[in-house]
Amino acid sequence: MASPIGPEIERLIQLLARLPGLGPRSARRAALTLIKKKEQLLVPLAEAARITAERVLVCTSCGNIDTADPCTICCDMRRDPTLLVVVEDVADLWALERAGVINARYHVLGGVISALDGIRPEDLNLDRLVARAAEPGLTEIVLALNATVDGQTTAHYITDLLSPYPVKITRLAHGVPVGGELDYLDEGTLAAAIRQRTTF
Amino acid sequence: MASPIGPEIERLIQLLARLPGLGPRSARRAALTLIKKKEQLLVPLAEAARITAERVLVCTSCGNIDTADPCTICCDMRRDPTLLVVVEDVADLWALERAGVINARYHVLGGVISALDGIRPEDLNLDRLVARAAEPGLTEIVLALNATVDGQTTAHYITDLLSPYPVKITRLAHGVPVGGELDYLDEGTLAAAIRQRTTF
């Protein structure tokens, strides 16, 4: 039996299926939605994807993804110049910006050191971090890395790397997530929450 | 604080978030994946979406979506000309084609009669179905509609509508889904499975 779908639609489905969160079945559903809402969705998506592909840049200063280089954040003069937040990935930068909890600039490592995945310190955006640590005016570097083994290994590596510079290195607090139930938390988190308890 | 993402990327995220199966958070993840795999994913997607938008057509004969009109299925001479399968949506047509269980042509209604959603018989692709029912050579119309109230209402409506024509109207069997466990089935399905039991 011949494929009931034209090769162009088949190709669209295959590309959508490679997005995180979409499998082959949901990619077909997504493609159908796009086709049915051609003017409102498919045409604008084609255009937005084309424009993004044309204009997207990696900030040479911090590693953020933006359509300007240096990126909007690096150019934002209202941000605290004494603070630099180190993150693994642009997704983490976006998460912190959404939370709107720190008015700092960022440094995106582009990964963490991982023996398992064969990621070495040389593969990360570390040279530029060292250069930034040496810049006058910077007083604190916050290591906002995942609380995983690889994330913490990388945090230790960076702490060693930056030890010659007169800058304070901090990391995110460990503890009970807001809204979290003690019953469901692992022992490591509970231990950290007890150890770092604060006055009420 | 200014948005940390350029307006072009923001727009891409917003469009992706409107796809079924993707929310605001997964759309951001998808956009990041697209941007990181610019050459393998973002550029091809822009191109595939553009080409699909340009070429996609609704088959004037059966209502299927394709890049040809009449569609590939309507033009496929190896399909049984005596059989016509009526489906609600193109997604159902695709599902039946994937299963590869019937070598027939299709008729896509584009919905089902629904008092709740205000969908009347006039809103469906029924005139063309009546015309096809009158064509010589057709002997059986299979109503492959969802086993929902609206689907079954539509099936009854179509049966009435086609009663003047000398064509056999059939519907999909009800019963236990393959791999299904009796314990989890509703009483309606169990009753149908018992009523329509077959010799082993």
Side-chain angles (χ1 to χ4, degrees):
Chain A
M1 237 181 269
S3 163
I5 314 170
E8 298 88 350
I9 303 176
E10 194 71 75
R11 172 118 180 93
L12 181 66
I13 294 172
Q14 274 168 13
L15 287 166
L16 288 171
R18 289 174 59 190
L19 294 180
L22 288 182
R25 199 171 278 258
S26 45
R28 271 191 297 268
R29 262 204 323 143
L32 256 184
T33 304
L34 282 172
I35 290 169
K36 283 184 189 165
K37 299 187 177 166
K38 192 173 117 175
E39 295 309 324
Q40 307 99 294
L41 219 50
L42 184 56
V43 175
L45 180 71
E47 190 64 4
R50 188 184 62 78
I51 293 176
T52 304
E54 260 175 34
R55 300 201 192 152
V56 80
L57 292 166
V58 174
C59 176
T60 43
S61 173
C62 75
N64 185 17
I65 283 170
D66 201 351
T67 43
D69 179 24
C71 73
T72 326
I73 293 178
C74 283
C75 295
D76 186 355
M77 285 303 142
R78 288 162 305 177
R79 290 187 185 246
D80 187 344
T82 67
L83 262 179
L84 186 67
V85 179
V86 176
V87 290
E88 173 179 340
D89 196 273
V90 177
D92 303 328
L93 184 161
W94 288 2
L96 285 166
E97 282 295 297
R98 272 202 306 285
V101 282
I102 190 160
N103 184 29
R105 292 207 177 79
Y106 293 88
H107 191 81
V108 181
L109 293 178
V112 281
I113 301 166
S114 168
L116 219 61
D117 299 332
I119 302 173
R120 294 158 308 162
E122 304 90 272
D123 301 323
L124 306 179
N125 185 14
L126 285 172
D127 292 348
R128 181 76 204 129
L129 178 62
V130 173
R132 293 181 84 178
E135 280 169 14
L138 189 72
T139 56
E140 181 180 348
I141 291 182
V142 185
L143 301 178
L145 299 172
N146 291 336
T148 54
V149 171
D150 288 345
Q152 295 312 300
T153 305
T154 310
H156 282 292
Y157 183 89
I158 292 175
T159 311
D160 283 350
L161 193 70
L162 299 182
S163 58
Y165 302 93
V167 62
K168 193 168 103 189
I169 314 272
T170 55
R171 64 164 176 79
L172 297 184
H174 285 311
V176 182
V178 175
E181 292 180 46
L182 297 197
D183 199 13
Y184 291 97
L185 288 177
D186 63 298
E187 283 133 46
T189 305
L190 285 175
I194 289 282
R195 212 165 43 234
Q196 296 163 35
R197 64 190 179 276
T198 54
T199 38
F200 195 67
Chain B
M1 237 179 269
S3 163
I5 313 173
E8 298 88 350
I9 303 176
E10 195 70 76
R11 172 118 181 95
L12 180 67
I13 293 171
Q14 274 167 13
L15 286 166
L16 288 172
R18 289 174 59 191
L19 293 180
L22 288 183
R25 199 171 277 258
S26 44
R28 271 192 297 268
R29 262 206 321 145
L32 257 185
T33 304
L34 282 171
I35 290 168
K36 283 183 188 167
K37 299 186 177 166
K38 194 172 116 175
E39 295 308 323
Q40 306 98 296
L41 220 50
L42 184 57
V43 175
L45 181 70
E47 190 64 5
R50 188 185 61 77
I51 292 177
T52 303
E54 261 176 33
R55 301 202 191 150
V56 80
L57 292 167
V58 173
C59 175
T60 44
S61 172
C62 74
N64 185 19
I65 284 170
D66 201 350
T67 43
D69 179 22
C71 73
T72 324
I73 293 178
C74 284
C75 295
D76 185 355
M77 283 305 142
R78 288 163 305 176
R79 289 188 186 247
D80 187 344
T82 66
L83 263 178
L84 187 67
V85 179
V86 176
V87 290
E88 174 180 341
D89 196 272
V90 177
D92 303 328
L93 185 161
W94 289 2
L96 285 167
E97 282 295 298
R98 272 202 306 286
V101 283
I102 191 161
N103 185 29
R105 293 207 174 78
Y106 293 88
H107 191 81
V108 181
L109 293 177
V112 282
I113 301 167
S114 168
L116 218 61
D117 298 333
I119 301 174
R120 294 158 308 161
E122 305 90 273
D123 301 323
L124 305 180
N125 185 15
L126 284 172
D127 292 348
R128 180 74 203 130
L129 178 62
V130 172
R132 293 180 86 179
E135 279 170 14
L138 190 72
T139 57
E140 181 180 348
I141 292 182
V142 185
L143 301 178
L145 299 171
N146 291 336
T148 56
V149 172
D150 288 346
Q152 295 311 301
T153 307
T154 310
H156 282 292
Y157 184 88
I158 292 176
T159 310
D160 284 350
L161 192 70
L162 298 183
S163 56
Y165 301 93
V167 62
K168 193 166 103 187
I169 313 272
T170 55
R171 65 163 176 79
L172 297 184
H174 285 312
V176 182
V178 174
E181 292 180 45
L182 296 195
D183 199 13
Y184 291 98
L185 288 176
D186 64 298
E187 283 133 48
T189 304
L190 286 175
I194 290 282
R195 212 164 43 234
Q196 294 161 38
R197 64 191 177 279
T198 54
T199 39
F200 195 67

